[in-house]
Amino acid sequence: MIEIRPDHPPDAGLVQKLTEAWTSARAAGADAFVQVIQSDETWDAIEKRLEECRDVEKALVIGIGGSSLGTQSIYDSFSSTSAAEIFFLESADRHRWDLLRNLGGDWRDRHIVIVSKSGNTLETLTWVEKLAYIDQSWIKPEQCTVIASPGEGELQSWAKTAGLPCLWIPADLGGRFSVLSAVGMFPAGLMGLSRFEFREGARWALTRLDLAAQLAAVTVRSWERGEMVTHHWTYSEALRSFGQWWQQLWAESLAKKVTRSGGPAPAVSTPLPCLGPRDQHSLLQLVIEGQTPKHVFLTRVREVESQGESFEGRLFAQMPFYQKAISLGSVLGAEAQAFERALLDNRIPVTAIELDGLNERTFGALFMLWQMTIALLGEHLNINAYNQPGVEFGKKHADKILRQ
């Protein structure tokens, strides 16, 4: 399903050390995203709510960060076959409101999914206020689902008063680790996707601790070489938003000032998601000739590179496909291979991640695999990989400014 192929294979001793760290990683916080896969109660609640929301043709997903990015990556991959058209409201930006109003069809005849783990997310509650202010009929109990953690947040209290159905995020499950909970799986159900397959893919990844340990070991050795930028190039338009999800998972989990012991935390690299081959026409120059040491994860999809109707090149005599049978997938695959060879020629470390195909099972495995990898890296660094104190600074300032 997923194959890891580093050009600098890590030594077996480090891989073994990281494998053994899984027990302590689960005790430190990783158990939360493992338990959500194993909890029948969680998945039964999602299925029950989906039964009550049959034949949804349009949906608004209101959330930001971990409450939205995973769902967006799923929709990017399956939008062409999705049973429902999904529109995302994240930042409190007038541009998004104008886009929503200009969409064809009646977007009031839709399902609204409101996602906020704490129930106090500024941007999310701003959108709820906006919709309710324009017309209370935007938000009806039969056409709305709230997804939050049990608690006394503003969203939870309002949902209770308004009689809105709720699906719960486990209290110990961080937002950026929540895509395989109701946060991502309820919208996936509205899209007509198989929750069972996502779950089975995640379960498969849990049996492949060796792959997560290998990814973590590659990263540790990269940091030891001083590579302070980590690129993640995904070679499929369907993975456009997946890189954004990966970036948040990496940045919020690994960048910390202090260790759990109270000492200075080690420096970690800046994550940079890139989309190939689009960014070969922009960032590749910086990757090849820029002075900052970097490491590249390269994710390719064999099925995507082998798909597509063949056609003959007839118009452009100078092109390499002139008078040859080509397909869209063959061109994409050639560019991915060329990118990897260019990195190797210039001695830039690259770790290839190859997927058999893009389906629910693969996505479940990919989400879980990276969550496991980040958990292992958190243990290696001796940090709390499940909080985000730096993010809270910005939230406090925004709250103060608005109150003034």
Side-chain angles (χ1 to χ4, degrees):
M1 186 185 299
I2 299 177
E3 180 184 350
I4 310 297
R5 183 168 46 79
D7 78 307
H8 285 64
D11 53 280
L14 178 59
V15 174
Q16 181 62 31
K17 179 182 177 181
L18 287 163
T19 301
E20 293 170 354
W22 180 237
T23 300
S24 56
R26 289 193 64 168
D31 204 52
F33 63 77
V34 174
Q35 288 299 323
V36 80
I37 296 301
Q38 298 173 344
S39 170
D40 289 337
E41 181 181 357
T42 296
W43 293 81
D44 290 346
I46 295 170
E47 295 304 313
K48 182 176 182 295
R49 182 56 183 152
L50 286 169
E51 283 292 318
E52 299 166 347
C53 306
R54 290 184 173 181
D55 302 322
V56 171
E57 295 183 357
K58 297 177 185 292
L60 295 179
V61 175
I62 304 176
I64 197 166
S67 297
S68 179
L69 289 174
T71 304
Q72 287 188 51
S73 66
I74 293 170
Y75 187 63
D76 268 358
S77 294
F78 299 100
S79 57
S80 62
T81 58
S82 175
E85 183 180 357
I86 311 291
F87 190 84
F88 294 89
L89 293 174
E90 297 181 281
S91 303
D93 190 325
R94 173 65 183 270
H95 177 68
R96 294 299 291 173
W97 179 246
D98 290 341
L99 284 175
L100 177 60
R101 289 193 305 171
N102 291 332
L103 288 175
D106 187 359
W107 274 85
R108 297 192 180 211
D109 183 21
R110 53 38 210 135
H111 198 88
I112 294 183
V113 184
I114 305 170
V115 189
S116 169
K117 175 177 166 57
S118 67
N120 297 314
T121 308
L122 172 64
E123 298 87 351
T124 302
L125 298 190
T126 299
W127 278 117
V128 174
E129 290 276 14
K130 172 73 171 177
L131 296 178
Y133 178 80
I134 295 296
D135 189 338
Q136 289 285 347
S137 66
W138 269 94
I139 302 175
K140 304 173 184 177
E142 66 275 14
Q143 290 180 286
C144 184
T145 300
V146 170
I147 303 176
S149 285
E152 301 300 323
E154 293 286 350
L155 179 61
Q156 294 92 322
S157 299
W158 169 73
K160 182 177 180 180
T161 301
L164 300 177
C166 295
L167 290 171
W168 300 113
I169 307 169
D172 58 350
L173 182 64
R176 61 187 175 275
F177 292 92
S178 67
V179 63
L180 293 170
S181 71
V183 171
M185 294 299 95
F186 177 72
L190 296 180
M191 299 175 208
L193 302 177
S194 170
R195 282 75 61 203
F196 172 81
E197 291 294 316
F198 278 105
R199 191 180 187 187
E200 286 303 298
R203 284 172 165 165
W204 177 87
L206 286 169
T207 70
R208 295 302 309 270
L209 180 57
D210 60 308
L211 295 180
Q214 191 175 16
L215 285 175
V218 163
T219 302
V220 170
R221 291 297 184 237
S222 169
W223 293 339
E224 290 174 352
R225 294 192 298 267
E227 294 154 7
M228 287 293 102
V229 176
T230 301
H231 291 254
H232 190 172
W233 288 67
T234 51
Y235 267 78
S236 172
E237 290 281 344
L239 293 170
R240 177 186 292 266
S241 293
F242 180 82
Q244 301 297 320
W245 174 84
W246 168 85
Q247 181 182 55
Q248 183 196 10
L249 183 70
W250 183 291
E252 286 193 357
S253 301
L254 300 180
K256 302 293 163 64
K257 283 187 176 180
V258 297
T259 65
R260 290 183 299 217
S261 307
V268 299
S269 56
T270 298
L272 181 60
C274 305
L275 182 64
R278 181 197 67 185
D279 289 333
Q280 284 182 221
H281 295 269
S282 57
L283 288 174
L284 185 56
Q285 173 64 30
L286 182 63
V287 172
I288 296 296
E289 297 198 5
Q291 299 303 307
T292 304
K294 74 279 294 178
H295 172 253
V296 176
F297 288 110
L298 168 60
T299 297
R300 298 172 59 184
V301 187
R302 297 186 185 103
E303 183 182 55
V304 170
E305 294 179 14
S306 64
Q307 283 179 342
E309 179 183 3
S310 294
F311 54 94
E312 184 179 348
R314 299 177 179 178
L315 301 179
F316 308 108
Q318 299 305 312
M319 288 293 99
F321 50 69
Y322 183 62
Q323 293 184 339
K324 295 180 180 179
I326 59 167
S327 67
L328 298 180
S330 65
V331 173
L332 182 66
E335 291 185 287
Q337 291 179 57
F339 174 68
E340 183 174 3
R341 291 178 185 179
L343 296 178
L344 295 173
D345 287 347
N346 287 275
R347 298 183 179 180
I348 296 170
V350 55
T351 299
I353 303 170
E354 295 190 357
L355 316 179
D356 287 340
L358 283 178
N359 50 54
E360 294 99 322
R361 189 175 292 241
T362 305
F363 255 87
L366 198 58
F367 284 135
M368 180 58 74
L369 181 60
W370 273 113
Q371 289 177 163
M372 294 165 68
T373 300
I374 294 300
L376 293 178
L377 286 170
E379 288 307 292
H380 177 80
L381 297 168
N382 187 31
I383 59 169
N384 183 346
Y386 309 99
N387 66 358
Q388 53 280 333
V391 176
E392 303 305 319
F393 280 105
K395 292 180 180 179
K396 291 176 182 178
H397 282 300
D399 181 270
K400 182 177 180 181
I401 291 168
L402 285 169
R403 290 183 186 278
Q404 291 174 343

